[in-house]
Amino acid sequence: GAVVSQHPSWVICKSGTSVKIECRSLDFQATTMFWYRQFPKQSLMLMATSNEGSKATYEQGVEKDKFLINHASLTLSTLTVTSAHPEDSSFYICSARAPDGFGFFGPGTRLTVL
Amino acid sequence: DQQVKQNSPSLSVQEGRISILNCDYTNSMFDYFLWYKKYPAEGPTFLISISSIKDKNEDGRFTVFLNKSAKHLSLHIVPSQPGDSAVYFCAASRGDKLIFGTGTRLQVFP
């Protein structure tokens, strides 16, 4: 089956630093990738839709200047949390859409901002 | 505005019995519904889906029922196994976007 990887799987950083999370589709090309965020005991919230070669589409309430998304190739999308603060601590999950239209999720990245 | 709701945050079921997880939605434009299983610190794993033109889809121990008039879907797991213990999310889609419910933690005890 299709595989989506995320790197790193967990990261701890100091407040004010930036953190980059990578999402890769390993055996298929994904023109569209999605970034989700999950707070403890809450639902997965769609943050943005990333399209290869164009600007990401952000959901209402998501700061595009804080959560920078780049989809430079058909197999890689990156999410950069800029000037991270403790309230950004969360579990970030990407999803990549395979050519058959089905989406596959990455394993997630646990971000802890001290 | 929570468009997809799972009103039961947790469910406890004995091994071998049926687990029924419920999900309600408000947007009649959703055309596809999915159930995911999630373990802590892992990404969701797809379980089963159903198109809005159907009312039932079955895959092994998992069956999803869709009641469009009530805007309600449910996931039945029969028989339940301890390995089924996880958080289950329902999701609804319109186009590319997936809207997730808040999840139900299922615990299957021996």
Side-chain angles (χ1 to χ4, degrees):
Chain A
V3 177
V4 176
S5 70
Q6 278 185 243
H7 178 81
S9 56
W10 60 271
V11 57
I12 302 173
C13 69
K14 292 183 179 180
S15 183
T17 60
S18 294
V19 175
K20 180 185 286 187
I21 303 170
E22 293 184 348
C23 176
R24 293 182 185 272
S25 56
L26 299 183
D27 53 1
F28 65 94
Q29 293 183 330
T31 55
T32 305
M33 290 185 175
F34 306 88
W35 286 96
Y36 294 85
R37 180 177 179 179
Q38 184 189 22
F39 294 98
K41 298 182 180 179
Q42 293 190 30
S43 179
L44 290 161
M45 303 295 295
L46 178 64
M47 297 174 65
T49 302
S50 168
N51 294 298
E52 188 267 336
S54 63
K55 291 183 178 180
T57 304
Y58 290 81
E59 294 300 302
Q60 191 174 9
V62 178
E63 299 176 62
K64 59 181 66 177
D65 293 332
K66 181 167 187 62
F67 298 99
L68 300 179
I69 291 173
N70 183 279
H71 195 156
S73 77
L74 287 171
T75 59
L76 173 64
S77 176
T78 60
L79 167 67
T80 301
V81 183
T82 62
S83 186
H85 288 93
E87 58 265 29
D88 299 324
S89 298
S90 190
F91 192 60
Y92 293 87
I93 303 173
C94 73
S95 169
R97 188 163 70 112
D100 63 2
F102 199 79
F104 295 90
F105 286 91
T109 297
R110 169 73 61 191
L111 170 63
T112 301
V113 184
L114 302 176
Chain B
D1 178 28
Q2 189 71 32
Q3 295 186 63
V4 180
K5 299 179 183 179
Q6 293 175 256
N7 292 318
S8 298
S10 63
L11 176 67
S12 188
V13 173
Q14 188 173 28
E15 180 179 8
R17 295 190 177 270
I18 184 172
S19 294
I20 300 177
L21 298 105
N22 294 302
C23 180
D24 297 292
Y25 61 96
T26 58
N27 192 336
S28 59
M29 298 298 291
F30 289 135
D31 55 9
Y32 209 73
F33 302 90
L34 309 93
W35 282 95
Y36 289 86
K37 178 180 179 180
K38 185 180 181 300
Y39 293 111
E42 293 184 14
T45 302
F46 169 75
L47 276 177
I48 192 168
S49 64
I50 188 168
S51 164
S52 62
I53 63 173
K54 294 188 175 182
D55 55 18
K56 178 182 176 181
N57 188 26
E58 192 172 353
D59 183 4
R61 295 187 298 116
F62 302 93
T63 304
V64 56
F65 296 92
L66 175 62
N67 183 333
K68 285 184 64 179
S69 61
K71 295 190 177 66
H72 177 85
L73 69 154
S74 61
L75 173 68
H76 292 210
I77 306 174
V78 182
S80 301
Q81 300 173 355
D84 296 329
S85 298
V87 177
Y88 290 78
F89 289 94
C90 67
S93 78
R94 183 163 58 105
D96 271 338
K97 292 187 179 181
L98 273 181
I99 309 296
F100 283 86
T102 49
T104 297
R105 181 176 300 279
L106 172 66
Q107 185 173 8
V108 181
F109 59 93

